[in-house]
Amino acid sequence: MITVEVYSFCMVYEIATALLPVFFALALGFGAGLRGYVDNRDVSSINKLVMDFAIPASLFVSISSTDRSDITAHAGYIVVTVVALAVVYAVTLVLQQRAFGLQKAEAAVQALTVAFPNYASIGLPLSAAVVGGRGAIAVAIGLAVGAVTIVPFSLALLEDSKLGPDAPGSTLSRFGGALGKSVCRPIFWAPMLAIVLVLSGVHMPGLVEKTLAPIGQAGAGAALFLTGLLLSAQKVSFGPNVAYGIVVKNGLMPLFVWGLCLLLGLDRLSTTEAVLLTAIPCGFFGLVFSPPYGLQSRVAGSTLMLSTVAGIASLSVVIALLPQHV
């Protein structure tokens, strides 16, 4: 018989196993940026390494080694992810302009920061620790959903703001252009290619997986280090807007997703994946995309920083409440 003390120890150990590696790598990046060991202002080279090489290779290798049934089992998860990202983004975008008084460009950056979890860095190691290898598929789907919906829409709004009201073309046409660029990025097409190959019954030769493995193994660690660097460059301030972002991203969004999973009757494993990955703190895409448009959002930077710190507690609660031994 398992005593309360043993169960409590096992739970604490499981939470520590899932979160300690994640936040240790984040802390390394944060410390390196804060002390000036690594430039935390110009992170374009590290960003390209992570987003164009390491993470795509990691996702491709992880997904190509799964079964077709693992992918088809994610149909309900896809619906939940689309609805969750779209609803949180739309509500936040409207509130940023009407309630918090931000201009369209900064409102888009903040909405993207709040609505898009940090799949790219925290998603892979966290899902692997909690749900195993199948978690890579869920991470890839989350990234793909964002890449074809809220990311290009945010870029279109940033372009609108930069060009002004007399710019040729429409927001819709700029959305199409941004969408085209988004799907051409390796972080989108590499995992999608792996999914297509698995669904088609094509198995990758072992030599291909072994060739891609070394660069892929650098993905999660480098992405977490990059996030820490970005956090170290933020000038943090706290106010109602930042509080809104933290509450929505770390608390209300996973609750909303849990409700959607119950409504749609998702199985236990899919529900665990959906809730866990949407409970991940804010992502850094908005901060990476905005500088070329002449925008540095202190609100988005503060939200990213404080949401990540709060994630230590909120993710611990989520992991403790999720069904065990999925």
Side-chain angles (χ1 to χ4, degrees):
M1 183 176 180
I2 299 177
T3 64
V4 174
E5 290 78 9
V6 171
Y7 177 80
S8 299
F9 173 79
C10 292
M11 181 60 65
V12 170
Y13 181 79
E14 181 172 349
I15 292 171
T17 301
L19 296 185
L20 190 58
V22 169
F23 285 95
F24 176 73
L26 280 170
L28 281 180
F30 183 83
L34 201 64
R35 296 296 300 272
Y37 293 126
V38 182
D39 188 357
N40 61 7
R41 293 293 177 182
D42 183 11
V43 297
S44 57
S45 295
I46 300 178
N47 185 55
K48 286 184 179 296
L49 166 66
V50 170
M51 305 300 286
D52 293 345
F53 295 97
I55 292 295
S58 179
L59 288 171
F60 184 87
V61 170
S62 297
I63 294 171
S64 62
S65 62
T66 60
D67 297 324
R68 182 186 301 176
S69 60
D70 291 328
I71 296 176
T72 56
H74 281 85
Y77 171 84
I78 294 173
V79 174
V80 168
T81 303
V82 170
V83 173
L85 266 60
V87 169
V88 173
Y89 181 88
V91 171
T92 301
L93 183 64
V94 170
L95 288 176
Q96 291 305 307
Q97 297 177 82
R98 297 186 180 180
F100 296 109
L102 297 187
Q103 296 299 312
K104 180 167 61 176
E106 189 172 8
V109 171
Q110 177 68 348
L112 183 60
T113 301
V114 173
F116 204 13
N118 200 347
Y119 290 123
S121 62
I122 299 179
L124 275 176
L126 183 63
S127 63
V130 178
V131 300
R134 179 180 136 146
I137 300 173
V139 172
I141 290 171
L143 284 167
V145 169
V148 299
T149 54
I150 59 177
V151 168
F153 190 74
S154 297
L155 291 174
L157 292 179
L158 285 167
E159 191 75 17
D160 275 353
S161 180
K162 182 180 180 181
L163 296 176
D166 299 324
S170 63
T171 301
L172 183 60
S173 66
R174 282 184 276 279
F175 171 80
L179 176 61
K181 293 178 182 178
S182 186
V183 299
C184 287
R185 299 190 68 185
I187 199 166
F188 174 83
W189 62 256
M192 291 302 102
L193 175 60
I195 287 175
V196 170
L197 291 175
V198 172
L199 289 176
S200 302
V202 177
H203 297 284
M204 281 294 99
L207 181 61
V208 173
E209 293 187 8
K210 290 181 179 179
T211 301
L212 293 175
I215 186 65
Q217 288 168 356
L224 289 166
F225 191 88
L226 171 61
T227 302
L229 276 180
L230 289 168
L231 292 176
S232 70
Q234 306 310 312
K235 295 181 179 179
V236 178
S237 59
F238 186 77
N241 200 350
V242 175
Y244 162 85
I246 298 170
V247 170
V248 170
K249 182 70 213 66
N250 293 46
L252 297 182
M253 191 172 183
L255 282 174
F256 175 54
V257 166
W258 178 66
L260 287 175
C261 292
L262 292 180
L263 182 65
L264 296 176
L266 265 64
D267 61 84
R268 186 173 67 172
L269 182 52
S270 295
T271 298
T272 296
E273 289 177 323
V275 174
L276 177 70
L277 291 179
T278 48
I280 290 173
C282 297
F284 55 73
F285 276 42
L287 293 181
V288 171
F289 291 148
S290 57
Y293 296 93
L295 177 63
Q296 294 283 356
S297 175
R298 187 163 185 174
V299 170
S302 299
T303 304
L304 174 66
M305 175 68 175
L306 296 177
S307 169
T308 303
V309 173
I312 299 173
S314 59
L315 282 173
S316 297
V317 172
V318 168
I319 293 171
L321 294 177
L322 286 174
Q324 302 301 306
H325 310 299
V326 296

